[in-house]
Amino acid sequence: MNNEPVVSLENATVEFETEGSLLNPFGEPDVVRAVNDVSLEIGDREIVTLIGESGCGKSTLGRTAIGVQKPTAGSVSYRGQDIWEARTGGDTEISYSEIRPALQMIHQDPGSALNPNQRIVTSLSLPLRRWQPELGRPERMERIHALFERVGMQPAEDFLNRYPHQLSGGEKQRAVLVRSLLLNPDLILADEAISALDVSLRVEMMDLMLELQELFDTSYLFISHDLSNARYIAEKSDGRIAVMYLGRIVEVGTVDEIIDNPQHPYTKALRWATPNLYGDDDGQPPIRTIDVPDPTALPVGCNFHPRCPNARELCEERSPPEIAASDDGHPCRCFRADEEHEYWDSSPVSKDSDDAVAVGGDQQ
Ligand SMILES: Nc1ncnc2c1ncn2[C@@H]1O[C@H](COP(=O)(O)OP(=O)(O)OP(=O)(O)O)[C@@H](O)[C@H]1O
Ligand code: SF4
Ligand SMILES: [Mg+2]
């Protein structure tokens, strides 16, 4: 193992071509830029929580980070090794057969990882048989049993012999967590892994994931659309929260930086939309419209400007680069993070701008 980050994305972009519509079957396909020039590193034993509204590109970014989705531009590396170079069979320093088991995934729907026609034990044995064929059956079973008992599913034998439909939602999700840990991965992508669970089970599952993370020295990329879950995970693990909007990471930092001192207007809107976070649910929403722009026709300039209460004319023309936020130094993609920026001399685009300053409690 070298000292490189477990995973690093460098200016990664993912575009999808959509099929022609019924009204325009032979027209040019539309292009959705699901991930737009994202750079992010995830270190050893680090937890990064990715947050943002539906369709902003969280799953696509997660799949890109674990080498399942190929970036159309930019790159993704595992411990410094370009994953797609390794995947295409080149003579690489780290081979794909080393990378694949090191980067695992837990889906929102545990059913997709557990074959409905197979007993749990068969579904769980598969990755071990494929990636660690040197293990004999007794060693495989010992590993599976030990982990099942570790996640509180005992006697393991009883659960392992069942079919997926004979497990509750929480039990299925634990079985999938065990499956992802069996190969002792370096990083687990947990894509809305707790969203389908009852609220009462979510905290239990998050605690279990964190407990196992310490035990296995694993990193997590935890995807959620719920800022309170993101805060829970990041607070307990000293992790970071990355806020995503229309394909871009717009702000990334610790709980103190993102929840207590958000700089980006979109992060402020997310916080406002999660009133149980800090009770600042009064006043008007710090957003101009709830409508998300068409992802096939992204706004020119800052892609948040049509919804941003602080937008000025400059925001309609230029896209903000990543700027270190002025007061605590965490990265943010908004001109406002730079107190000296010419943004401040530009004219507000709507009357709302001034109102929103008051709503957001921002004195500048
Ligand atoms: N295979 C695909 N082909 C075409 N478009 C796609 C494909 N996968 C994703 N997209 C589009 O890319 C954008 C981002 O999708 P993605 O699933 O990554 O968002 P998300 O943030 O995970 O959303 P959700 O919270 O609803 O799961 C969306 O506009 C989606 O329609
Ligand atoms: S750059 Fe302008 S439009 Fe974009 S988030 Fe900042 S203030 Fe709003
Ligand atoms: Mg998703």
Side-chain angles (χ1 to χ4, degrees), residues 16-18 32 34 52-61 192 225 295:
F16 296 113
E17 282 193 0
T18 57
V32 175
E53 64 203 323
S54 182
C56 70
K58 303 180 296 297
S59 296
T60 309
L61 179 59
E192 304 277 9
H225 58 269

Side-chain angles (χ1 to χ4, degrees), residues 193-264:
I194 57 161
S195 307
L197 298 178
D198 284 350
V199 177
S200 58
L201 282 179
R202 283 186 200 161
V203 171
E204 207 178 293
M205 189 68 188
M206 285 192 280
D207 284 342
L208 180 63
M209 288 171 74
L210 292 173
E211 221 179 288
L212 292 170
Q213 186 251 347
E214 277 199 17
L215 203 66
F216 283 81
D217 282 345
T218 313
S219 306
Y220 280 120
L221 178 56
F222 187 90
I223 293 181
S224 176
H225 58 269
D226 183 336
L227 195 51
S228 24
N229 290 338
R231 181 182 68 156
Y232 187 83
I233 288 270
E235 211 158 46
K236 284 202 109 179
S237 64
D238 274 338
R240 288 183 294 157
I241 299 176
V243 181
M244 198 165 178
Y245 182 75
L246 276 187
R248 282 189 188 282
I249 288 185
V250 295
E251 187 166 14
V252 54
T254 60
V255 170
D256 288 350
E257 290 163 346
I258 299 297
I259 311 275
D260 298 340
N261 188 25
Q263 298 293 309
H264 198 283

Side-chain angles (χ1 to χ4, degrees), residues 96-114:
Y96 187 60
S97 59
E98 212 175 312
I99 298 173
R100 186 60 263 157
L103 305 175
Q104 292 290 311
M105 176 170 185
I106 311 176
H107 295 264
Q108 174 172 3
D109 168 21
S112 55
L114 301 172

Side-chain angles (χ1 to χ4, degrees), residues 339-360:
E339 284 172 6
E340 309 287 321
H341 201 276
E342 61 191 283
Y343 159 90
W344 298 104
D345 300 323
S346 177
S347 304
V349 293
S350 80
K351 178 185 155 298
D352 296 354
S353 300
D354 297 324
D355 298 343
V357 169
V359 170

